[in-house]
Amino acid sequence: MQGVQLQALSILFTLWANVTLTGLALFAVVGRSAHAGLRCWIRALLLQSLGWAALIVAPLAGVGRPWVSSAGVWALSLSFALGWRALGLYLERPVGWRWIVLWPLGLAMLNGLIYEHVQWRVSLVNVLLAVQLAAVVHLALRPAPQGRAWRWLLAGAASASAAMLLARAALMAGWPEDYPSFGANHPLSIAGLIIDNATVSLATLAFLLAHRDEAERRLRQLATYDDLSGVLNRRAVLEQAQRLVRLAHRHEVPVTVMMIDIDHFKRINDERGHPAGDQVIAGFAAVLQESLREGDVVGRYGGEEFMAVLYDADAAAAQRVDARLRQRLRLRPWPTPDGSVDFSAGAFTMNRADGDLDAAIARADAALYQAKATGRGRLVWVAGA
């Protein structure tokens, strides 16, 4: 019997060591540079380490046992809450701090208030901890974009831990005389500790996979979008433009290419500084994107020049985009010398007989320079064949 008892205690200490070393290792390796979700999970691991340590030493605390036990329950509950928040951060569904703070605090207070009523205390604490894990499972299983298969792994780990907590609660509620003491020689204790150990590793693996997916998504975004303006970069907008041109030729509809240049941008930089110029670039891109129709594409072509490609669009469509953009620009304050932003634009409408996209861009660019040469703040449109 002593050998089995030692086995249970060994698993308990292995669990504590696993949680502690995993949390410390992740903190040492990624520190503050990781995604907010992974940083939150690291805090959850370190709190779980504190919680298990408190529960291990509680039987030795004498008259302070209720306080140490309640501290352990608080730390474990807070670790579950932070795991829930970490998941929400990765799924872009943040969990409010009210639940993160108040639930663990209330659970710890409940544990302390009814400490001497062992049957009620153990049953309620286990059930309420299971409820926290059920919230994790619910959030993990909600519909999410593709590429987030790791959430199924996390849901499985949380479900296994919740099931074990509910089994402990049911045993204490129905058969308190059979309920094992903490770390005692009992199949439920041993199974619970093994499951807890495994689920910590599985949950950590899930969050590391989430971190990898997020890093890959960020790299794809950097390769596709202009970091300052938030619209497609030059390479990406040219690729999307080629796609629209092929589609238009297949359906025999026109495509209009617009080249748009912010007027007097050098003066903005010279008189208000480059930070103001950056604000103008970002704001102009946002307003331009809002002014296009669904299905049109826009990107930053270079400097203060943007390219918009309008599918199934003729001169009238280009003029409507131009008018919407000018109207919306007038409604916003700008960090410019006169508080306004204007632009010049050149547009070329191409059909199947007008050659390739490069030729269309050249024709639209020539129209843009004509708009600048004839006074700026205007649209010049040219037609194809």
Side-chain angles (χ1 to χ4, degrees):
M1 294 296 291
Q2 289 299 317
V4 178
Q5 179 78 1
L6 180 61
Q7 182 184 17
L9 291 175
S10 297
I11 297 172
L12 177 58
F13 280 105
T14 300
L15 169 61
W16 176 79
N18 181 26
V19 172
T20 304
L21 293 176
T22 301
L24 291 174
L26 286 175
F27 178 78
V29 171
V30 301
R32 298 176 180 273
S33 62
H35 184 277
L38 186 57
R39 296 200 307 270
C40 200
W41 176 243
I42 292 171
R43 297 186 190 103
L45 287 173
L46 296 176
L47 275 164
Q48 194 168 147
S49 168
L50 177 63
W52 284 116
L55 294 177
I56 289 171
V57 302
L60 308 176
V63 295
R65 183 171 180 173
W67 293 96
V68 178
S69 172
S70 296
V73 169
W74 170 81
L76 283 178
S77 179
L78 185 56
S79 75
F80 291 175
L82 288 178
W84 186 28
R85 179 170 174 79
L87 172 62
L89 289 170
Y90 273 115
L91 296 181
E92 298 178 358
R93 293 168 178 161
V95 177
W97 281 108
R98 180 185 303 176
W99 288 107
I100 303 300
V101 174
L102 294 183
W103 188 280
L105 185 60
L107 193 52
M109 292 175 63
L110 176 67
N111 183 82
L113 288 172
I114 62 173
Y115 187 80
E116 299 301 329
H117 303 280
V118 178
Q119 185 177 8
W120 280 102
R121 173 173 60 86
V122 173
S123 298
L124 285 174
V125 167
N126 278 281
V127 167
L128 293 174
L129 287 173
V131 168
Q132 286 188 275
L133 292 175
V136 173
V137 175
H138 176 263
L139 182 57
L141 295 183
R142 289 181 62 181
Q146 293 182 354
R148 288 175 173 170
W150 53 267
R151 59 195 175 91
W152 294 96
L153 182 62
L154 184 61
S159 296
S161 290
M164 184 53 59
L165 288 167
L166 291 175
R168 289 171 176 161
L171 182 62
M172 175 56 84
W175 302 271
E177 66 280 0
D178 295 328
Y179 191 85
S181 60
F182 190 68
N185 170 29
H186 191 281
L188 185 63
S189 293
I190 294 175
L193 291 170
I194 292 174
I195 289 174
D196 287 339
N197 211 340
T199 55
V200 166
S201 298
L202 290 175
T204 300
L205 176 59
F207 279 114
L208 289 174
L209 291 173
H211 187 65
R212 181 206 62 184
D213 288 353
E214 180 64 22
E216 291 178 351
R217 185 196 66 80
R218 179 60 179 162
L219 287 174
R220 288 194 299 271
Q221 184 178 34
L222 289 174
T224 304
Y225 292 91
D226 177 65
D227 193 48
L228 175 59
S229 65
V231 297
L232 296 173
N233 59 28
R234 180 169 179 159
R235 180 189 59 80
V237 73
L238 289 174
E239 289 178 355
Q240 292 297 316
Q242 289 282 14
R243 178 185 62 82
L244 283 186
V245 168
R246 288 194 298 268
L247 185 64
H249 288 349
R250 188 180 309 127
H251 294 283
E252 297 184 349
V253 296
V255 170
T256 294
V257 177
M258 294 183 67
M259 304 302 292
I260 303 166
D261 192 87
I262 301 173
D263 287 336
H264 305 296
F265 186 74
K266 184 177 184 302
R267 188 175 69 188
I268 297 171
N269 278 335
D270 291 344
E271 297 186 17
R272 292 300 178 94
H274 288 281
D278 290 347
Q279 291 180 41
V280 169
I281 290 286
F284 185 88
V287 176
L288 173 57
Q289 198 162 34
E290 293 169 1
S291 303
L292 298 178
R293 308 166 305 171
E294 185 175 355
D296 296 336
V297 298
V298 62
R300 187 180 179 192
Y301 199 71
E304 67 273 21
E305 187 174 6
F306 293 83
M307 174 182 172
V309 185
L310 316 180
Y311 178 77
D312 192 11
D314 54 12
Q319 289 165 356
R320 286 193 294 270
V321 169
D322 181 85
R324 280 198 302 270
L325 178 56
R326 294 185 192 280
Q327 180 182 17
R328 293 180 181 186
L329 289 174
R330 286 193 292 269
L331 297 176
R332 293 182 56 159
W334 297 94
T336 59
D338 60 0
S340 66
V341 167
D342 203 355
F343 66 92
S344 301
F348 173 72
T349 300
M350 65 182 299
N351 293 288
R352 195 182 189 98
D354 290 315
D356 59 11
L357 177 63
D358 290 339
I361 293 173
R363 296 284 296 275
D365 219 24
L368 168 63
Y369 281 105
Q370 184 180 345
K372 285 183 171 293
T374 54
R376 302 179 186 268
R378 65 193 62 201
L379 167 69
V380 172
W381 173 82
V382 292

